[in-house]
Amino acid sequence: MKKHFILLLIIITALAGCRKSTYEGYTVSDFSLNTYINITVYSENDVREADDSLLLCHDYENLFSRTITDSQISVLNHTKLLSSPSLPVSDIINKSLYYCELTDGALDITIEPLTSLWNITSGSNIVPDEQCVDDALSGVDYHNVIVDDAGNISLLNNAGIDLGAVAKGYIADKIKEQLIKDNVASAIINLGGNILCIGSRPDGSDYTIGIKRPFDSSGSVMLTLKISDMSVVTSGTYERYFTKDDTIYHHIIDPATGYPADSGLISATIISRDSFTGDCLSTACMVMGLERAISLIDSLDDVYGIFIDNDYNVHYTDGAKNFLK
Ligand code: AMP
Ligand code: MG
């Protein structure tokens, strides 16, 4: 009798596991983090959960932004000292410093003096003179970020913090955490192309995610991926740039030179479990170039890269082709 009961329990549990949700999903859209964001939640309480996700996103933006004047990062940049930072600020800075080190400074969160100088999206399209670039470059070194034993953060040598390369990934992970706490089993978080999935689509199929054809104004897709429960983050020269005298000046700056990275790559996509990893590494790979990027990504567990070079050739790290649709 007991055996039959256990068998029945196993069958019921298995059937429940196979049950497909019929939720249609609810999407919130906004312009936040200096980009377009869309969060789609498939659940019973989708409206509340999607709205809460947006609120969380705004809360983090108010801490991390370097352009919101009273954000903690702005205070740090102006006074060079942040006493008792909030938990998320110390967390994102400590985690980012790990990736600055791992990428040998290709990712450098003290890039702010250079991003402010270049101000790529201002519309002024001015190439700063060499002396100004050198001056701004002198403070750029993640070793200038000092976190003391009490957790206070200070900046040496006039350094400034720009979390533009890492914040979207960090925030996407936090939104995912909150949704999972709310028992959401299916959602897709898209923070300006920084994509993070919870589970698979409600019908059990993978999410379909396109990698854009660089510089194509029609927004066509060059590759299509199938993804469940993972993150896909793309960095590209084509995302923010201006052209002057036939030269493209884009928003990913090489901390070694102070000029837009000229590594031979125009797009770097990282597939990873969490989105923070993908955000840090996709920006770093754009600076590192194909060879260094492939060898770094291949050395990491469960992280995959897809790179597009200047001639639109596509390159894959080990295992990355498995995600092609
Ligand atoms: P992403 O779109 O994630 O590749 O981030 C690009 C943004 O990160 C730029 O718009 C800058 O704000 C900032 N950034 C540019 N170059 C670097 C770099 N080498 N390291 C860290 N942040 C950077
Ligand atoms: Mg990034």
Side-chain angles (χ1 to χ4, degrees):
M1 178 66 194
K2 198 174 166 198
K3 254 190 197 161
H4 285 132
F5 177 71
I6 291 172
L7 190 65
L8 190 67
L9 205 65
I10 290 171
I11 292 170
I12 290 172
T13 312
L15 284 175
C18 294
R19 212 192 68 211
K20 305 286 184 235
S21 146
T22 53
Y23 299 127
E24 283 193 0
Y26 174 76
T27 302
V28 281
S29 304
D30 197 11
F31 188 83
S32 185
L33 307 167
N34 214 9
T35 190
Y36 293 96
I37 71 175
N38 288 290
I39 302 166
T40 302
V41 177
Y42 302 92
S43 74
E44 211 168 333
N45 303 310
D46 51 8
V47 175
R48 178 180 58 76
E49 283 151 352
D51 288 344
D52 284 353
S53 301
L54 207 53
L55 290 177
L56 192 67
C57 187
H58 291 152
D59 287 347
Y60 281 116
E61 182 176 23
N62 289 332
L63 288 173
F64 297 160
S65 167
R66 70 181 173 92
T67 51
I68 296 174
T69 45
D70 60 350
S71 76
Q72 292 202 347
I73 292 303
S74 290
V75 171
L76 176 58
N77 283 346
H78 289 119
T79 64
K80 308 298 174 195
L81 173 69
L82 189 61
S83 303
S84 310
S86 65
L87 200 70
V89 168
S90 55
D91 190 40
I92 194 172
I93 287 191
N94 283 319
K95 286 183 171 149
S96 299
L97 290 175
Y98 168 80
Y99 281 102
C100 293
E101 187 79 36
L102 183 75
T103 61
D104 210 9
L107 178 80
D108 194 322
I109 55 168
T110 62
I111 201 82
E112 184 276 329
L114 284 167
T115 43
S116 294
L117 176 70
W118 281 96
N119 207 358
I120 295 287
T121 48
S122 66
S124 59
N125 298 5
I126 295 171
V127 179
D129 68 49
E130 235 175 282
Q131 189 55 52
C132 293
V133 173
D134 284 350
D135 290 347
L137 189 57
S138 66
V140 175
D141 182 346
Y142 65 94
H143 295 101
N144 286 329
V145 183
I146 308 296
V147 183
D148 71 19
D149 292 344
N152 304 314
I153 304 168
S154 50
L155 300 176
L156 306 179
N157 298 321
N158 224 16
I161 301 277
D162 175 351
L163 298 177
V166 301
K168 291 194 288 291
Y170 185 91
I171 296 170
D173 288 337
K174 292 296 168 187
I175 292 173
K176 179 167 178 172
E177 253 174 58
Q178 176 169 285
L179 289 170
I180 285 175
K181 257 192 212 146
D182 268 354
N183 296 316
V184 171
S186 188
I188 181 158
I189 302 155
N190 179 353
L191 308 184
N194 214 111
I195 292 165
L196 180 62
C197 310
I198 297 182
S200 48
R201 293 171 57 82
D203 65 2
S205 61
D206 289 323
Y207 289 101
T208 300
I209 292 164
I211 298 180
K212 279 187 193 158
R213 178 175 294 279
F215 298 105
D216 179 12
S217 53
S218 73
S220 72
V221 158
M222 194 157 159
L223 298 164
T224 308
L225 307 180
K226 48 184 175 52
I227 299 287
S228 283
D229 213 36
M230 285 187 95
S231 161
V232 179
V233 182
T234 300
S235 291
T237 56
Y238 59 91
E239 283 173 338
R240 286 171 194 172
Y241 68 95
F242 66 81
T243 310
K244 188 143 201 209
D245 301 330
D246 292 334
T247 304
I248 287 174
Y249 296 93
H250 62 84
H251 70 132
I252 299 169
I253 309 291
D254 185 342
T257 64
Y259 284 81
D262 187 17
S263 69
L265 294 179
I266 50 176
S267 166
T269 297
I270 301 293
I271 304 163
S272 53
R273 288 279 151 203
D274 67 286
S275 209
F276 182 71
T277 297
D279 203 0
C280 292
L281 292 177
S282 59
T283 308
C285 286
M286 286 299 300
V287 174
M288 295 168 88
L290 188 61
E291 236 173 90
R292 282 176 67 204
I294 288 192
S295 105
L296 173 65
I297 301 305
D298 276 342
S299 74
L300 303 172
D301 274 348
D302 223 8
V303 181
Y304 309 88
I306 301 176
F307 306 112
I308 303 173
D309 67 25
N310 287 345
D311 299 322
Y312 288 78
N313 297 311
V314 185
H315 308 263
Y316 301 86
T317 63
D318 288 344
K321 280 187 181 168
N322 294 334
F323 294 95
L324 290 176
K325 193 173 159 116

